[in-house]
Amino acid sequence: MADDVLAAVRVAPGRTELQHFALPRVPADGALLRVEVAGICGTDVKMYANPPFTDPVIMGHENVGVIVDAGPDFVRRHGVCDGDRVFVEHYVGCYHCEWCHAGEYRHCENTDWRTNPDARRYGYTSAANEHQLWGGFAQYMFLPWNAVLHRIPDGVSAQLAGIVTPLSNGIEWALNAGGVGYDSTVLIQGPGQQGLSQVVACAQAGASTIIVTGTTRDAARLELARELGADHVVDVRTEDPLTAVRDLTGGRGVDVVLDCTAGAGTAPVLLGVDALKRREGVMVVQGEVAAFPDFPLKKVTEKAITIRSARGHGYRACELAVAQLASGRFPLERLATHSFGLDETDRAIRAVGGELDEDVVHVSLLPWAGVA
């Protein structure tokens, strides 16, 4: 193992530099991960263009790799050892607050960079902090005692395991937040990696009608949605989506709306409110819109709509995602459409942002590709 680590560091808005870091000393309760795949999602695109702080950051929060140096206390705590391939969640909780005790470490202040300037979260933490390697856009990543790991079965490749994060989000948002289950009717807005993952989750859960909306440029993604289990797809540029939903549900509307759009403004929420059934539908939203003038609160309350927020994933959702990958039931390898080397980090992020190729679904950054 080399003495230094090559990493892609965000040094300014929309700017990355390759830098070398010393391998951190691994304590008895820590470990070192040789990163094989770091997935890239829409959040990375936003954080790259508009960083929340000016410190240098090694981005990358969807990380899969092999443990290469685990301290004895780490081995006892996590039940893993050198040579094991794992998926590392990006949350790093404290494990003594009420949220951690409830199993909801994603809400722990220790990992909430929005409220805690010293928070630890992979892909969001300053590289100036101790151990430095807090992101997957690097050849190695430091694992503290409170890292959350999921062992990857032997039959699942590293690149396929790289989609655990969007797939676990799909499970969390559709099944846990949205309550999708047997015979549910569902509208999924946006056929990106999150929307397609939710198609799989809804199909696996037994939904009877899955409708996916997108735009004309999403033609390939909409076709992939069909292959993954969608019953109907709607191009919102060529047909009225509300009319389509009503026609496809016999005028009843859907039980659940899952908003997976990006940059579409308030339109998906307004469509969701109207597309839900007469009473007690559920809408799961990402909440990217900072302000919502003329929000239809009266209609929401009259229809008794429950609005849930799409915020990350829990441990069980990740375990189910890994099991789904191992089952081979769905052609999930179709989600992993593009891969780039570490020296192409800027291009990889921009590809997810739609600047290079319209058919991008999920991008994998391979830290060792092309590296001597």
Side-chain angles (χ1 to χ4, degrees), residues 129-145:
N129 285 327
E130 186 182 14
H131 304 303
Q132 296 187 295
L133 304 178
W134 292 102
F137 294 177
Q139 294 172 327
Y140 292 94
M141 203 167 74
F142 175 73
L143 304 179
W145 68 270

PDB file of all heavy atoms in Angstrom, residues 129-145:
ATOM      1  N   ASN A 129     -10.121  18.659   8.368  1.00  0.00           N
ATOM      2  CA  ASN A 129     -10.390  17.980   9.632  1.00  0.00           C
ATOM      3  C   ASN A 129      -9.463  16.773   9.810  1.00  0.00           C
ATOM      4  O   ASN A 129      -8.892  16.266   8.845  1.00  0.00           O
ATOM      5  CB  ASN A 129     -11.852  17.523   9.699  1.00  0.00           C
ATOM      6  CG  ASN A 129     -12.808  18.674   9.956  1.00  0.00           C
ATOM      7  OD1 ASN A 129     -12.455  19.626  10.650  1.00  0.00           O
ATOM      8  ND2 ASN A 129     -14.001  18.605   9.395  1.00  0.00           N
ATOM      9  N   GLU A 130      -9.383  16.313  11.038  1.00  0.00           N
ATOM     10  CA  GLU A 130      -8.534  15.176  11.347  1.00  0.00           C
ATOM     11  C   GLU A 130      -8.881  13.978  10.458  1.00  0.00           C
ATOM     12  O   GLU A 130     -10.042  13.716  10.178  1.00  0.00           O
ATOM     13  CB  GLU A 130      -8.706  14.784  12.814  1.00  0.00           C
ATOM     14  CG  GLU A 130      -7.754  13.692  13.265  1.00  0.00           C
ATOM     15  CD  GLU A 130      -7.970  13.286  14.714  1.00  0.00           C
ATOM     16  OE1 GLU A 130      -9.022  13.665  15.283  1.00  0.00           O
ATOM     17  OE2 GLU A 130      -7.082  12.610  15.263  1.00  0.00           O
ATOM     18  N   HIS A 131      -7.855  13.292  10.022  1.00  0.00           N
ATOM     19  CA  HIS A 131      -7.939  12.124   9.136  1.00  0.00           C
ATOM     20  C   HIS A 131      -8.216  12.495   7.687  1.00  0.00           C
ATOM     21  O   HIS A 131      -8.064  11.660   6.805  1.00  0.00           O
ATOM     22  CB  HIS A 131      -8.976  11.105   9.623  1.00  0.00           C
ATOM     23  CG  HIS A 131      -8.741  10.631  11.027  1.00  0.00           C
ATOM     24  ND1 HIS A 131      -7.564  10.037  11.422  1.00  0.00           N
ATOM     25  CD2 HIS A 131      -9.536  10.669  12.129  1.00  0.00           C
ATOM     26  CE1 HIS A 131      -7.644   9.710  12.702  1.00  0.00           C
ATOM     27  NE2 HIS A 131      -8.822  10.093  13.165  1.00  0.00           N
ATOM     28  N   GLN A 132      -8.678  13.680   7.414  1.00  0.00           N
ATOM     29  CA  GLN A 132      -8.765  14.292   6.083  1.00  0.00           C
ATOM     30  C   GLN A 132      -9.601  13.544   5.043  1.00  0.00           C
ATOM     31  O   GLN A 132     -10.344  14.158   4.289  1.00  0.00           O
ATOM     32  CB  GLN A 132      -7.347  14.497   5.525  1.00  0.00           C
ATOM     33  CG  GLN A 132      -6.510  15.485   6.337  1.00  0.00           C
ATOM     34  CD  GLN A 132      -5.205  15.784   5.682  1.00  0.00           C
ATOM     35  OE1 GLN A 132      -4.353  14.906   5.539  1.00  0.00           O
ATOM     36  NE2 GLN A 132      -5.011  17.019   5.264  1.00  0.00           N
ATOM     37  N   LEU A 133      -9.501  12.243   4.981  1.00  0.00           N
ATOM     38  CA  LEU A 133     -10.131  11.473   3.900  1.00  0.00           C
ATOM     39  C   LEU A 133     -11.593  11.190   4.217  1.00  0.00           C
ATOM     40  O   LEU A 133     -11.990  10.072   4.537  1.00  0.00           O
ATOM     41  CB  LEU A 133      -9.365  10.169   3.666  1.00  0.00           C
ATOM     42  CG  LEU A 133      -7.868  10.334   3.354  1.00  0.00           C
ATOM     43  CD1 LEU A 133      -7.206   8.975   3.182  1.00  0.00           C
ATOM     44  CD2 LEU A 133      -7.662  11.202   2.120  1.00  0.00           C
ATOM     45  N   TRP A 134     -12.427  12.239   4.067  1.00  0.00           N
ATOM     46  CA  TRP A 134     -13.850  12.162   4.413  1.00  0.00           C
ATOM     47  C   TRP A 134     -14.741  12.170   3.181  1.00  0.00           C
ATOM     48  O   TRP A 134     -15.865  12.667   3.229  1.00  0.00           O
ATOM     49  CB  TRP A 134     -14.222  13.320   5.341  1.00  0.00           C
ATOM     50  CG  TRP A 134     -13.590  13.213   6.699  1.00  0.00           C
ATOM     51  CD1 TRP A 134     -12.502  13.897   7.168  1.00  0.00           C
ATOM     52  CD2 TRP A 134     -14.013  12.361   7.766  1.00  0.00           C
ATOM     53  NE1 TRP A 134     -12.224  13.521   8.452  1.00  0.00           N
ATOM     54  CE2 TRP A 134     -13.124  12.585   8.855  1.00  0.00           C
ATOM     55  CE3 TRP A 134     -15.041  11.426   7.917  1.00  0.00           C
ATOM     56  CZ2 TRP A 134     -13.245  11.902  10.066  1.00  0.00           C
ATOM     57  CZ3 TRP A 134     -15.159  10.748   9.115  1.00  0.00           C
ATOM     58  CH2 TRP A 134     -14.271  10.992  10.181  1.00  0.00           C
ATOM     59  N   GLY A 135     -14.263  11.606   2.087  1.00  0.00           N
ATOM     60  CA  GLY A 135     -15.089  11.527   0.885  1.00  0.00           C
ATOM     61  C   GLY A 135     -14.577  10.447  -0.049  1.00  0.00           C
ATOM     62  O   GLY A 135     -13.398  10.050  -0.003  1.00  0.00           O
ATOM     63  N   GLY A 136     -15.457   9.976  -0.912  1.00  0.00           N
ATOM     64  CA  GLY A 136     -15.136   8.860  -1.791  1.00  0.00           C
ATOM     65  C   GLY A 136     -14.424   9.220  -3.070  1.00  0.00           C
ATOM     66  O   GLY A 136     -14.004   8.322  -3.806  1.00  0.00           O
ATOM     67  N   PHE A 137     -14.261  10.528  -3.369  1.00  0.00           N
ATOM     68  CA  PHE A 137     -13.516  10.909  -4.567  1.00  0.00           C
ATOM     69  C   PHE A 137     -12.019  10.865  -4.235  1.00  0.00           C
ATOM     70  O   PHE A 137     -11.277  11.836  -4.423  1.00  0.00           O
ATOM     71  CB  PHE A 137     -13.919  12.309  -5.036  1.00  0.00           C
ATOM     72  CG  PHE A 137     -15.344  12.424  -5.516  1.00  0.00           C
ATOM     73  CD1 PHE A 137     -15.855  13.658  -5.907  1.00  0.00           C
ATOM     74  CD2 PHE A 137     -16.185  11.326  -5.577  1.00  0.00           C
ATOM     75  CE1 PHE A 137     -17.164  13.783  -6.346  1.00  0.00           C
ATOM     76  CE2 PHE A 137     -17.498  11.438  -6.015  1.00  0.00           C
ATOM     77  CZ  PHE A 137     -17.991  12.674  -6.403  1.00  0.00           C
ATOM     78  N   ALA A 138     -11.597   9.730  -3.717  1.00  0.00           N
ATOM     79  CA  ALA A 138     -10.216   9.518  -3.299  1.00  0.00           C
ATOM     80  C   ALA A 138      -9.922   8.029  -3.359  1.00  0.00           C
ATOM     81  O   ALA A 138     -10.829   7.195  -3.359  1.00  0.00           O
ATOM     82  CB  ALA A 138      -9.997  10.052  -1.881  1.00  0.00           C
ATOM     83  N   GLN A 139      -8.660   7.687  -3.395  1.00  0.00           N
ATOM     84  CA  GLN A 139      -8.291   6.275  -3.480  1.00  0.00           C
ATOM     85  C   GLN A 139      -8.549   5.535  -2.172  1.00  0.00           C
ATOM     86  O   GLN A 139      -8.817   4.337  -2.181  1.00  0.00           O
ATOM     87  CB  GLN A 139      -6.825   6.161  -3.887  1.00  0.00           C
ATOM     88  CG  GLN A 139      -6.572   6.664  -5.305  1.00  0.00           C
ATOM     89  CD  GLN A 139      -5.102   6.735  -5.629  1.00  0.00           C
ATOM     90  OE1 GLN A 139      -4.270   7.002  -4.765  1.00  0.00           O
ATOM     91  NE2 GLN A 139      -4.764   6.496  -6.895  1.00  0.00           N
ATOM     92  N   TYR A 140      -8.449   6.240  -1.070  1.00  0.00           N
ATOM     93  CA  TYR A 140      -8.724   5.641   0.234  1.00  0.00           C
ATOM     94  C   TYR A 140      -9.628   6.565   1.042  1.00  0.00           C
ATOM     95  O   TYR A 140      -9.668   7.785   0.817  1.00  0.00           O
ATOM     96  CB  TYR A 140      -7.424   5.399   1.019  1.00  0.00           C
ATOM     97  CG  TYR A 140      -6.544   4.329   0.438  1.00  0.00           C
ATOM     98  CD1 TYR A 140      -5.512   4.661  -0.436  1.00  0.00           C
ATOM     99  CD2 TYR A 140      -6.730   2.980   0.761  1.00  0.00           C
ATOM    100  CE1 TYR A 140      -4.698   3.683  -0.985  1.00  0.00           C
ATOM    101  CE2 TYR A 140      -5.911   1.995   0.217  1.00  0.00           C
ATOM    102  CZ  TYR A 140      -4.902   2.353  -0.652  1.00  0.00           C
ATOM    103  OH  TYR A 140      -4.103   1.375  -1.194  1.00  0.00           O
ATOM    104  N   MET A 141     -10.323   5.987   1.995  1.00  0.00           N
ATOM    105  CA  MET A 141     -11.235   6.738   2.851  1.00  0.00           C
ATOM    106  C   MET A 141     -11.054   6.251   4.292  1.00  0.00           C
ATOM    107  O   MET A 141     -10.926   5.047   4.538  1.00  0.00           O
ATOM    108  CB  MET A 141     -12.674   6.536   2.385  1.00  0.00           C
ATOM    109  CG  MET A 141     -13.647   7.614   2.779  1.00  0.00           C
ATOM    110  SD  MET A 141     -15.203   7.455   1.855  1.00  0.00           S
ATOM    111  CE  MET A 141     -15.945   6.025   2.645  1.00  0.00           C
ATOM    112  N   PHE A 142     -11.064   7.187   5.229  1.00  0.00           N
ATOM    113  CA  PHE A 142     -10.930   6.816   6.636  1.00  0.00           C
ATOM    114  C   PHE A 142     -12.285   6.407   7.210  1.00  0.00           C
ATOM    115  O   PHE A 142     -13.312   7.040   6.922  1.00  0.00           O
ATOM    116  CB  PHE A 142     -10.384   8.006   7.436  1.00  0.00           C
ATOM    117  CG  PHE A 142     -10.320   7.741   8.916  1.00  0.00           C
ATOM    118  CD1 PHE A 142      -9.363   6.883   9.443  1.00  0.00           C
ATOM    119  CD2 PHE A 142     -11.235   8.322   9.780  1.00  0.00           C
ATOM    120  CE1 PHE A 142      -9.313   6.625  10.812  1.00  0.00           C
ATOM    121  CE2 PHE A 142     -11.198   8.073  11.137  1.00  0.00           C
ATOM    122  CZ  PHE A 142     -10.232   7.216  11.654  1.00  0.00           C
ATOM    123  N   LEU A 143     -12.295   5.347   8.009  1.00  0.00           N
ATOM    124  CA  LEU A 143     -13.513   4.873   8.662  1.00  0.00           C
ATOM    125  C   LEU A 143     -13.345   4.970  10.174  1.00  0.00           C
ATOM    126  O   LEU A 143     -12.507   4.265  10.748  1.00  0.00           O
ATOM    127  CB  LEU A 143     -13.813   3.414   8.284  1.00  0.00           C
ATOM    128  CG  LEU A 143     -13.941   3.085   6.798  1.00  0.00           C
ATOM    129  CD1 LEU A 143     -14.221   1.590   6.619  1.00  0.00           C
ATOM    130  CD2 LEU A 143     -15.030   3.921   6.149  1.00  0.00           C
ATOM    131  N   PRO A 144     -14.109   5.845  10.845  1.00  0.00           N
ATOM    132  CA  PRO A 144     -14.039   5.926  12.295  1.00  0.00           C
ATOM    133  C   PRO A 144     -14.871   4.822  12.939  1.00  0.00           C
ATOM    134  O   PRO A 144     -15.565   4.065  12.251  1.00  0.00           O
ATOM    135  CB  PRO A 144     -14.625   7.300  12.585  1.00  0.00           C
ATOM    136  CG  PRO A 144     -15.642   7.486  11.508  1.00  0.00           C
ATOM    137  CD  PRO A 144     -15.053   6.818  10.286  1.00  0.00           C
ATOM    138  N   TRP A 145     -14.835   4.746  14.255  1.00  0.00           N
ATOM    139  CA  TRP A 145     -15.579   3.702  14.971  1.00  0.00           C
ATOM    140  C   TRP A 145     -17.069   3.760  14.689  1.00  0.00           C
ATOM    141  O   TRP A 145     -17.760   2.749  14.704  1.00  0.00           O
ATOM    142  CB  TRP A 145     -15.340   3.834  16.478  1.00  0.00           C
ATOM    143  CG  TRP A 145     -15.943   5.089  17.074  1.00  0.00           C
ATOM    144  CD1 TRP A 145     -15.336   6.297  17.207  1.00  0.00           C
ATOM    145  CD2 TRP A 145     -17.268   5.241  17.596  1.00  0.00           C
ATOM    146  NE1 TRP A 145     -16.204   7.224  17.766  1.00  0.00           N
ATOM    147  CE2 TRP A 145     -17.406   6.587  18.024  1.00  0.00           C
ATOM    148  CE3 TRP A 145     -18.359   4.384  17.747  1.00  0.00           C
ATOM    149  CZ2 TRP A 145     -18.568   7.091  18.590  1.00  0.00           C
ATOM    150  CZ3 TRP A 145     -19.529   4.889  18.309  1.00  0.00           C
ATOM    151  CH2 TRP A 145     -19.636   6.221  18.720  1.00  0.00           C
TER     152      TRP A 145
END
